[in-house]
Amino acid sequence: MIIVMQAGAAPQDLDRVVSRVEQLRLRPHVIVGTERTVVAVVGDERDATGAGFETLPGVASVLPILAPYKVASREVQAETTRVKAGPLEVGGSRIGVIAGPCSVESAEQIVGTARAVKAAGATGLRGGAFKPRTSPYSFQGMKEKGLELLAEAREATGLAVVTEVVAPEDVPLVARYADVLQVGARNMQNYRLLEAVGRTQTPVLLKRGPAATVEELLLAAEYILDAGNLQVMLCERGIRTFETHTRFTLPLATVPWLHARTHLPVVVDPSHGTGHANLVESMAAASVAAGADGLIIEVHPDPKCASSDGAQTLDFAAFGRMMDVCRRVAEAVGRSLG
Ligand code: PEP
Ligand code: MN
């Protein structure tokens, strides 16, 4: 349920509501909006029946949350959540752009890419140090050495580092280096991992599983929010269908659908979504036109030599062209890029 506080409610009124919720062994999530403060109450709501929240001082109304995801729902917060990590901002009028290689390979590669994508207007640097690979024989990433190189690239450019964490026990290590923790598509329903990133205060980029519905994506996000981390971005990265002309099928209707139901910002990944470098610019532009709050794009100094995902990776010149097109589309829809 949502307990809506009156506009002029005193801090003690809010404290009283929160303690009452806790007494009932439910969890209160206080959401301070620009217009009103609400307490989203989660847990087994049968325990709250007859609790009489309506009669407590400072309470304006008590409403049920209709959606199965609670804290993620637009019903509890009308304004889009702004996720901030250094210069990267996602969820406001600026569209955040995260760019970089699929995998960190060397200092030269990651620092060089960071400088190039920053010059073109990116505010986040991506790069996998722990790689979830389909085959156990494929390159698994540079692990901690890769994290150190990402930190070096941040030092050189100031870009926010976005990197994947694949296991709950790695969260403390990766969070020491990352500005944003990426939970990959293959791990979208790894509930222990979601809880572990939820216990940090590091922003999270949660990618949609290739076989997950958008409602399942929102329920996965709910695990992170419920554990206490409210800085969550959702990422549409394509789903598996009968189509073979692209690596995955990139459904952009996800963007306005999610915007109608959640306050969490939505990022699109046209690199994994298409699997082909020559389709990335068009689908990035289409994502911006559809209202995406952010883009995540694979970029490498020499894509044909990349140790993973080279076929879908842009070189610096192609990334610059993509940014020019996306900047014009962003302006056309009343936003700015970077
Ligand atoms: C990646 O971002 O390189 C990646 C592995 O993406 P996904 O989890 O979407 O497959
Ligand atoms: Mn990749």
Side-chain angles (χ1 to χ4, degrees):
M1 65 169 72
I2 313 172
I3 302 171
V4 183
M5 302 302 294
Q6 288 166 3
Q12 308 86 276
D13 296 339
L14 182 62
D15 292 346
R16 197 177 298 108
V17 168
V18 166
S19 335
R20 184 84 191 98
V21 172
E22 285 167 350
Q23 275 164 15
L24 294 166
R25 284 196 287 275
L26 296 165
R27 279 186 306 289
H29 288 273
V30 178
I31 295 155
V32 183
T34 48
E35 283 171 21
R36 54 174 203 175
T37 294
V38 306
V39 183
V41 181
V42 297
D44 188 344
E45 284 200 16
R46 283 169 303 185
D47 297 342
T49 345
F53 285 108
E54 298 84 348
T55 60
L56 292 181
V59 172
S61 58
V62 177
L63 309 164
I65 306 177
L66 300 174
Y69 36 89
K70 305 292 175 192
V71 188
S73 168
R74 266 268 184 225
E75 295 168 82
V76 307
Q77 182 185 307
E79 311 94 58
T80 300
T81 292
R82 276 187 197 217
V83 177
K84 288 192 193 153
L88 175 68
E89 260 191 57
V90 176
S93 66
R94 279 167 63 197
I95 297 166
V97 180
I98 302 160
C102 181
S103 305
V104 179
E105 295 163 5
S106 67
E108 198 189 358
Q109 174 240 22
I110 194 70
V111 178
T113 306
R115 290 193 204 282
V117 299
K118 184 184 179 185
T123 46
L125 173 68
R126 62 151 291 145
F130 289 87
K131 294 303 301 176
R133 302 305 299 282
T134 302
S135 161
Y137 308 119
S138 302
F139 175 56
Q140 301 289 313
M142 292 180 78
K143 317 241 162 87
E144 190 165 0
K145 179 71 194 154
L147 297 175
E148 286 168 11
L149 297 180
L150 284 164
E152 199 178 314
R154 170 176 47 215
E155 192 68 26
T157 58
L159 292 178
V161 165
V162 181
T163 195
E164 180 161 357
V165 57
V166 294
E169 61 272 23
D170 295 339
V171 171
L173 170 71
V174 180
R176 274 210 299 282
Y177 293 92
D179 299 300
V180 175
L181 294 167
Q182 176 175 326
V183 174
R186 292 160 186 79
N187 270 316
M188 190 203 86
Q189 287 176 312
N190 179 341
Y191 299 116
R192 298 298 84 83
L193 179 61
L194 299 174
E195 287 164 354
V197 298
R199 284 191 294 268
T200 74
Q201 286 303 308
T202 307
V204 176
L205 178 80
L206 175 63
K207 298 187 100 181
R208 176 183 185 179
T213 64
V214 264
E215 187 160 298
E216 287 164 338
L217 171 64
L218 286 168
L219 284 165
E222 192 75 12
Y223 272 83
I224 304 171
L225 302 170
D226 190 42
N229 188 347
L230 300 179
Q231 289 276 289
V232 177
M233 301 171 248
L234 304 172
C235 179
E236 174 57 82
R237 47 77 74 211
I239 52 174
R240 189 148 279 174
T241 68
F242 54 81
E243 268 297 355
T244 53
H245 76 294
T246 47
R247 182 179 178 194
F248 293 95
T249 295
L250 184 62
L252 292 181
T254 305
V255 179
W257 191 95
L258 283 170
H259 279 154
R261 286 162 183 83
T262 180
H263 52 84
L264 299 176
V266 183
V267 173
V268 178
D269 176 347
S271 306
H272 292 85
T274 62
H276 298 283
N278 60 353
L279 301 178
V280 170
E281 178 186 302
S282 309
M283 295 314 287
S287 306
V288 172
D293 301 294
L295 294 170
I296 179 164
I297 309 288
E298 288 188 335
V299 179
H300 188 284
D302 186 5
K304 63 182 181 314
C305 295
S307 55
S308 53
D309 286 351
Q312 65 193 34
T313 297
L314 303 184
D315 62 18
F316 298 162
F319 180 66
R321 288 194 294 274
M322 183 214 86
M323 289 294 278
D324 289 341
V325 172
C326 288
R327 199 170 284 114
R328 292 204 297 276
V329 178
E331 277 161 23
V333 295
R335 316 239 347 227
S336 61
L337 195 69

